[in-house]
Amino acid sequence: MKVLSKPVADKSKYMDLLRQMMLIRRFEEKASEMYMRGKIGGFLHLYIGEEAIATGVMSVLGPDDYVVSHYREHGHALARGMDPKVIMAELFGKATGSSGGKGGSMHLFDASRNFMGGYAIVGGQLPIAVGLALAAKYRREDRTVLCFFGDGAVNEGEFHESMNLASVWQLPVIFMLENNLYGMGSYVERTHAGGKDIYHVADAYKIPAAQVDGMDVLAVREATEEALKRVRTGSGPVFIEAMTYRFRGHSMADPVAYRESSELDQWRKEDPIEKFKVVALREEFVTDDELQGIEAGVQATVEAAIRFAEESPEPELDTLHDNVYA
Amino acid sequence: MPEITYRKAISQALREILQSDPRAFMIGEDIGGYQGAYAVTRGFLKEFGPERIKDTPIAESVIVGAGIGAAMAGSRPIIEIMTINFSLLAMDQIINCAAKLHYMSGGQVTVPLVIRTVSGGGTQLAASHSQSLEGWFAHVPGLKVVAPSTPYDAKGLLRAAYQDPNPVMYVEHSLLYGMKGDIPDEEYSIPLGVADVKREGSDVTIISYSRMAQVALKAAVRLEEEGIDAEVVDLRSLRPMDTETIINSVKKTSRAVVVEEGWKAMGIGAEVSARIMENALEYLDAPVQRVASADIPMPYSRPLELATLPNEDRIIEAVHRLF
Ligand SMILES: Cc1ncc(C[n+]2csc(CCOP(=O)(O)OP(=O)(O)O)c2C)c(N)n1
Ligand SMILES: [Mg+2]
């Protein structure tokens, strides 16, 4: 187990970070169960294993900052403060969901939290991040755009166009790469010419870049904090690569035939929640009792979300044509 | 005649092409190690090796572009774009390059390229992943577009697409992969640009393609029960489109309904009805009816999705409007 980066001072922060990661984990486990029971349709991409990234990032992001993400975004949405009930209801396709059942798992939005969407076309959110940042700069607003994307998205032209323009125009974007080593069944070293350490690509665009342990919530938090400081000086974008691993398949439909189970076992030792628990207990920032309390609380929250989703009505058929301009 | 699935029919055609023509290779995302998002290329990597089953980065533009370049040089690449929604990232290569190079070069260059992709909705993938954009491609001179509705057509059209010197968009439907049908043991191909009368009838012509042709056939069975004898014309090719078969049928039945899964505005139904009007107006007893998806981005919710897609009931209602 790797040593964690420098500790944060106060106890309640530890509890918050732990609770957040555990909530995401539990939410995703339950979502997977609901998918198997046919309550959730379409594609379902779980964030299990990657919880430290969303949690670390959102713990320092300001409320005015924008977030855009991809289709593996339940964790980002939860950590941003979206109500688990509303997310679960969207996954169930219910009228009470964040998009009234019209978006589904891959398209969560909460404009009130500046959570400007999950995008299901790989790379699609990157140019949009540039646009949000452009508006912030143009309007002299103190906002940063946090853009999540995967290692697979780096190979799309949209990624390169966005990096270049954000740098040329010195826009306040944090490019947050979640490198889980795979894009569907493709291992990063077989698809990215620069190998698995992707952050080097930022050099070509003169964007300062760092690589962090994405299984270490404090390391992610610290890297994001530093990036935010830098971006807020107006000196342009920053690139962070968080190294991580998805413990489940690409989506629920993926039998995961392309990787060795020994690789997963190796990464399970880096489980961001278990690692953090050990440290928190050792440093006495949390007691066993408190841990159990968090566990129970998270469980209750997710159960309540399921109940809410279950009991919510289907969207009315007469809403079919709402929200279409033309 | 063995009965096989639509998926198997496509994969059989691909396998036979790869086995018989060393110029052929495949390029696409997760077609090898992952064995294909819709499992069409299952086992291919093992059988043909990585030089011929080329897994790529997620980079649709260069996937198509690499196919075009290789085709210009005399290779016979077969491209897989995982779904038609992702073809939008390759539009410049498909429309500005593949479709035009033969013409712009005064015939010096040919692009014998097959681009396989998957269209349609119905599995709750929501707005960005449920589109039927084949009509966009059919708009463009220089491209051929086919969209089979049965295993037999799937195999025969893929063979013909492969043999064609032009770039061909070969459009599969995700909800048809499990469909079974008979296929002859011997080699065959189905010429591009020839529609198929899937069911003969005398009272009304229902014109469709891909999955909606199957839905139309089911509607026809129900119509028969109420005494309406429907003919079902499966276009199979959207470009070139077999106007003659459409017109001959309409002359016989005097009534027509066009069914498509895409949007109605500027769509396949609009094109087909215009052709009917141009060629057989005086034969019509009623205005041509169009059945299409609701004019909205596809919603995720199952009941809303079902309310968006065309179905048997809506086809039958459209037929009733003609009488
Ligand atoms: C333009 C486009 N091409 C292909 C796909 C299909 N697809 C969905 S997710 C994915 C893999 C993306 O991998 P990565 O960016 O590493 O993100 P991860 O899923 O690992 O979080 C692919 C190929 C898509 N949605 N959009
Ligand atoms: Mg990845």
Side-chain angles (χ1 to χ4, degrees), chain A residues 308-321:
Chain A
F308 176 78
E310 196 98 61
E311 286 165 6
S312 292
E314 301 281 358
E316 296 290 342
L317 290 187
D318 65 11
T319 64
L320 199 60
H321 289 265

Side-chain angles (χ1 to χ4, degrees), chain B residues 197 199 201-202 204-207 231-233 243-255:
Chain B
V197 179
R199 178 196 158 102
S202 53
V204 56
T205 302
I206 307 176
I207 301 136
E231 176 145 308
V232 176
V233 174
T243 310
E244 197 184 324
T245 299
I246 301 168
I247 297 309
N248 286 343
S249 178
V250 172
K251 283 182 178 171
K252 184 172 73 172
T253 63
S254 303
R255 294 177 177 90

Side-chain angles (χ1 to χ4, degrees), chain B residues 17-319:
Chain B
I17 289 165
L18 288 162
Q19 280 164 350
S20 63
D21 189 348
R23 296 173 306 168
F25 53 82
M26 294 187 63
I27 315 176
E29 292 163 13
D30 283 305
I31 59 172
Y34 194 85
Q35 316 220 52
Y38 291 95
V40 171
T41 53
R42 178 166 289 158
F44 277 39
L45 181 61
K46 206 162 162 217
E47 186 175 343
F48 300 106
E51 212 187 345
R52 301 186 72 198
I53 304 301
K54 295 186 164 314
D55 270 328
T56 65
I58 309 172
E60 288 76 11
S61 183
V62 74
I63 292 170
V64 173
I68 296 171
M72 287 165 75
S75 291
R76 300 302 294 257
I78 300 174
I79 304 299
E80 178 175 309
I81 295 292
M82 197 180 287
T83 82
I84 204 161
N85 309 286
F86 315 150
S87 74
L88 299 182
L89 283 82
M91 239 25 184
D92 173 54
Q93 290 297 320
I94 301 173
I95 309 293
N96 286 327
C97 298
K100 296 180 176 48
L101 286 168
H102 186 62
Y103 188 82
M104 288 194 305
S105 69
Q108 296 179 71
V109 174
T110 54
V111 184
L113 179 69
V114 176
I115 302 176
R116 290 179 44 243
T117 191
V118 184
S119 187
T123 53
Q124 279 197 272
L125 297 181
S128 65
H129 274 56
S130 304
Q131 301 172 99
S132 301
L133 301 176
E134 51 277 2
W136 289 27
F137 296 103
H139 182 62
V140 179
L143 291 177
K144 293 190 177 182
V145 182
V146 299
S149 75
T150 65
Y152 178 84
D153 289 353
K155 184 166 180 188
L157 287 171
L158 186 46
R159 283 206 146 271
Y162 182 72
Q163 285 148 9
D164 203 278
N166 300 285
V168 181
M169 295 292 295
Y170 179 90
V171 183
E172 303 163 22
H173 197 294
S174 64
L175 288 177
L176 288 176
Y177 283 125
M179 178 199 176
K180 287 193 174 153
D182 292 332
I183 286 208
D185 285 318
E186 61 277 9
E187 215 170 88
Y188 70 100
S189 70
I190 296 171
L192 308 184
V194 180
D196 185 36
V197 179
K198 284 267 184 311
R199 178 196 158 102
E200 291 197 18
S202 53
D203 297 334
V204 56
T205 302
I206 307 176
I207 301 136
S208 191
Y209 67 95
S210 190
R211 183 171 85 85
M212 284 302 142
Q214 292 302 326
V215 178
L217 283 166
K218 290 201 185 112
V221 172
R222 284 173 53 191
L223 286 164
E224 189 178 356
E225 287 161 14
E226 50 179 274
I228 297 175
D229 187 16
E231 176 145 308
V232 176
V233 174
D234 179 356
L235 293 170
R236 299 198 293 204
S237 288
L238 301 179
R239 176 184 276 269
M241 189 181 277
D242 182 358
T243 310
E244 197 184 324
T245 299
I246 301 168
I247 297 309
N248 286 343
S249 178
V250 172
K251 283 182 178 171
K252 184 172 73 172
T253 63
S254 303
R255 294 177 177 90
V257 173
V258 196
V259 187
E260 66 196 304
E261 195 178 316
W263 296 296
K264 190 185 277 183
M266 331 297 152
I268 304 294
E271 178 63 32
V272 171
S273 15
R275 288 183 193 219
I276 294 171
M277 194 205 57
E278 285 163 352
N279 296 285
L281 182 64
E282 64 279 19
Y283 289 85
L284 287 177
D285 283 349
V288 177
Q289 299 295 308
R290 288 182 287 164
V291 178
S293 276
D295 202 16
I296 50 172
M298 183 68 80
Y300 162 76
S301 135
R302 187 62 180 155
L304 292 187
E305 182 182 50
L306 288 174
T308 301
L309 290 166
N311 56 26
E312 289 170 43
D313 289 344
R314 290 179 49 207
I315 295 172
I316 291 167
E317 279 162 29
V319 169

